[in-house]
Amino acid sequence: MSQQIAIVGSGPSGLYVAEALGKLLPDAAIDVIDRLPTPYGLVRGGIAPDHQSTKNVTRQFERTLSRPGTRFLGNVEIGRDLTYDELKAAYDVVVLSIGAAVDRPLGIPGDALPGVYGSAAFVGWYNGHPTHADLAPLLDGTALAVIGNGNVALDVVRVIAKTQAELAASDICVHAGEAMAAANLTDLYIIGRRGPVEASFTSKELGELGDLERCDVIVDPQQLPADVGSHVPEKEVKVKQRNLEILREFASRPLGERAMRLHILFCAAPVAVLGEERVRTLVLERTRLEQGRAVATGERFELPVQTVVSAIGYRTAPFPGVPFDEARGILANDEGLIEPGVYASGWCKHGPRGVVGTNRTDAQGLVQRIVSELDQTPEHAHKFGGAEIDRLLRERGAVVVDFEAWREIDRAEVSRAQGAKPREKFVRVQEMLEAAFALPGDERH
Ligand SMILES: Cc1cc2nc3c(=O)[nH]c(=O)nc-3n(C[C@H](O)[C@H](O)[C@H](O)COP(=O)(O)OP(=O)(O)OC[C@H]3O[C@@H](n4cnc5c(N)ncnc54)[C@H](O)[C@@H]3O)c2cc1C
């Protein structure tokens, strides 16, 4: 009997695990289960809509999901449609690849005021994630601050700063594109607790800020050190040096007359968000650096902003039945092992770091381990797998979106964009299901 394997989560880590397992265990039956009717996790719902080439990896993922023996079971949520115990009973191996979709809170007074958003919610809103489609962020002020010094923070300010023409070839959702076009923002801030060397920007993304049509970039040259410093690990020196060069070039630019200004502020830690009904002011404390660590100085200053987006990292949502590592915000695991036969991969295993490709290397290592442990425990190899799961899902009236049904959604999204952009995403599960199961003549299942 072939091995029965379930992978929960169809983001990069889950699909790289599926790819590697498919190669090592060609006879295995692999079910990739996702709570959304659409696959690809953050490649669809996180990666910036104007970075279409980064999303090309989905072609490789399509091949993985089309492999004989591999099935996609979309619109199936563990915890809602199936339990963890049912998964363990049905499959020889279960791999949890559920990502880290919960924003780390700012944890300062006022962080729950209307006008403060986590980047998972904000990015999910402009990228059409059904959970965040109704966010309707307040964008009616003149100033917006993004807290965080990683690429997600750069994505957020860049997408906001771009004109509709600059976003024309993106797949930003129409509701978000319109809301941004209607906004009257003149000042954007990107704020880091530490300095330019400690920021985890990649140079390409940082450099893109210099090409924005309607936005000048403002950097205080006094915040830029002469060199990267001795605390920077050797393998990071080059990128840090390049980032400093880019920032110096920004700092040397004469202030232009563009409609927007993007202020890049370093060594400023958020202390409080003030406002009665909504955000009015962001209070910050200047920090100084000691070997790359931010030390508070006690000197405070205020920025009048009406919207705050925090991009300071993510946590995994606890998964019913699986021990949780509260401190790290991940599923408790030992090098990927949760319990015999159950593993974690990707962001829910090690936290939110690395790019899409990092998950591939990681998945290959994990799959070696899974296969060797499967060999040692032959008694695990006698389960009913997908057949039992299909029966349970049928009994419960679940509407399962398989790979062909996802292709229908995909085709409908591309078609309704009418060539004007790569796709116009459906942002509600119901719309997705209607597209998935549409019949000729617009009859519905
Ligand atoms: C805003 C943002 C922008 C990024 N931009 C880039 C970029 O430009 N380039 C780059 O290389 N990397 C980028 N990354 C990083 C990249 O997206 C991650 O490395 C990668 O997505 C992590 O993969 P994952 O599979 O662990 O998680 P995810 O991609 O989050 O996938 C998790 C999947 O699990 C599903 N799931 C969750 N809970 C359940 C459940 N209970 N039942 C069933 N299914 C469930 C989710 O629906 C989702 O499909 C970005 C990340 C973010 C947040």
Side-chain angles (χ1 to χ4, degrees):
M1 200 167 158
S2 61
Q3 301 90 348
Q4 304 290 324
I5 297 172
I7 298 170
V8 182
S10 65
S13 71
L15 291 177
Y16 283 131
V17 167
E19 182 193 42
L21 277 170
K23 281 186 185 144
L24 284 184
L25 302 172
D27 296 330
I30 303 175
D31 284 350
V32 180
I33 301 171
D34 204 290
R35 71 187 187 92
L36 292 181
T38 54
Y40 313 140
L42 286 169
V43 175
R44 177 180 164 99
I47 290 178
D50 60 335
H51 279 180
Q52 286 296 308
S53 60
T54 317
K55 296 181 189 246
N56 286 341
V57 67
T58 57
R59 294 201 195 120
Q60 188 182 340
F61 294 157
E62 272 178 19
R63 286 195 291 277
T64 300
L65 285 175
S66 318
R67 175 192 158 273
T70 299
R71 304 192 304 168
F72 175 59
L73 281 72
N75 199 37
V76 175
E77 183 167 340
I78 311 306
R80 181 191 66 186
D81 303 302
L82 295 169
T83 67
Y84 177 54
D85 285 342
E86 285 164 348
L87 281 184
K88 287 192 288 182
Y91 295 97
D92 302 311
V93 172
V94 175
V95 183
L96 301 178
S97 312
I98 58 170
V102 181
D103 280 298
R104 258 187 65 202
L106 273 175
I108 56 174
D111 66 358
L113 275 172
V116 182
Y117 309 100
S119 61
F122 195 85
V123 169
W125 167 71
Y126 65 59
N127 269 332
H129 193 296
T131 305
H132 305 295
D134 293 320
L135 185 74
L138 295 170
L139 293 174
D140 52 346
T142 56
L144 174 148
V146 179
I147 296 172
N149 261 186
N151 280 350
V152 174
L154 296 182
D155 282 350
V156 171
V157 290
R158 188 186 66 253
V159 168
I160 294 174
K162 279 193 170 179
T163 60
Q164 277 186 302
E166 286 175 293
L167 289 172
S170 80
D171 66 355
I172 190 165
C173 292
V174 67
H175 65 262
E178 284 174 0
M180 288 182 193
N184 288 314
L185 291 163
T186 55
D187 290 89
L188 306 178
Y189 296 87
I190 184 163
I191 297 168
R193 233 165 19 94
R194 297 188 293 161
V197 171
E198 291 71 32
S200 49
F201 304 141
T202 51
S203 307
K204 178 179 160 285
E205 275 70 21
L206 183 61
E208 277 181 83
L209 298 181
D211 301 325
L212 296 166
E213 238 170 61
R214 64 165 170 181
C215 187
D216 286 317
V217 187
I218 300 180
V219 179
D220 177 357
Q222 298 200 343
Q223 291 209 302
L224 305 178
D227 59 52
V228 297
S230 57
H231 63 289
V232 175
E234 188 55 37
K235 63 178 185 353
E236 292 178 22
V237 166
K238 245 193 178 147
V239 65
K240 304 295 185 188
Q241 281 171 339
R242 179 74 195 116
N243 285 356
L244 278 182
E245 278 167 27
I246 293 168
L247 289 164
R248 275 192 209 105
E249 194 272 318
F250 289 164
S252 70
R253 291 184 184 188
L255 185 58
E257 290 185 347
R258 293 183 170 85
M260 261 187 201
R261 287 168 298 272
L262 167 60
H263 311 257
I264 307 186
L265 304 186
F266 297 107
C267 293
V271 174
V273 184
L274 305 181
E276 290 77 42
E277 307 282 298
R278 56 173 293 176
V279 176
R280 186 169 40 79
T281 304
L282 176 63
V283 185
L284 297 150
E285 176 167 353
R286 288 196 203 287
T287 63
R288 69 184 155 72
L289 292 171
E290 277 179 14
Q291 284 298 304
R293 279 186 326 106
V295 180
T297 63
E299 185 193 340
R300 294 190 172 190
F301 66 105
E302 296 187 352
L303 288 180
V305 299
Q306 297 79 41
T307 310
V308 173
V309 179
S310 69
I312 56 167
Y314 306 100
R315 292 168 64 82
T316 293
F319 193 86
V322 173
F324 194 70
D325 180 338
E326 272 299 335
R328 297 180 63 198
I330 56 174
L331 303 179
N333 72 90
D334 178 9
E335 303 284 329
L337 181 71
I338 291 177
E339 60 174 293
V342 184
Y343 301 84
S345 80
W347 278 18
C348 69
K349 171 192 165 206
H350 54 64
R353 59 187 155 73
V355 292
V356 167
T358 321
N359 296 289
R360 186 162 203 225
T361 332
D362 231 57
Q364 286 162 346
L366 182 71
V367 164
Q368 296 281 356
R369 173 174 192 171
I370 294 174
V371 172
S372 71
E373 291 178 352
L374 194 65
D375 287 345
Q376 290 158 22
T377 52
E379 72 273 15
H380 277 288
H382 299 292
K383 299 200 178 167
F384 289 104
E388 171 63 4
I389 289 301
D390 290 351
R391 188 186 65 73
L392 287 173
L393 289 171
R394 255 195 319 274
E395 255 175 40
R396 290 166 193 173
V399 181
V400 180
V401 174
D402 64 12
F403 189 62
E404 266 318 304
W406 146 246
R407 299 279 283 253
E408 291 294 333
I409 300 174
D410 186 30
R411 277 192 279 271
E413 288 187 340
V414 172
S415 146
R416 73 193 199 126
Q418 297 186 326
K421 57 202 277 196
R423 67 178 61 241
E424 187 58 59
K425 287 178 188 166
F426 296 112
V427 302
R428 293 182 201 292
V429 168
Q430 189 52 35
E431 292 173 330
M432 294 174 187
L433 297 182
E434 284 170 11
F437 301 112
L439 291 172
D442 212 23
E443 292 169 58
R444 308 282 183 218
H445 274 299

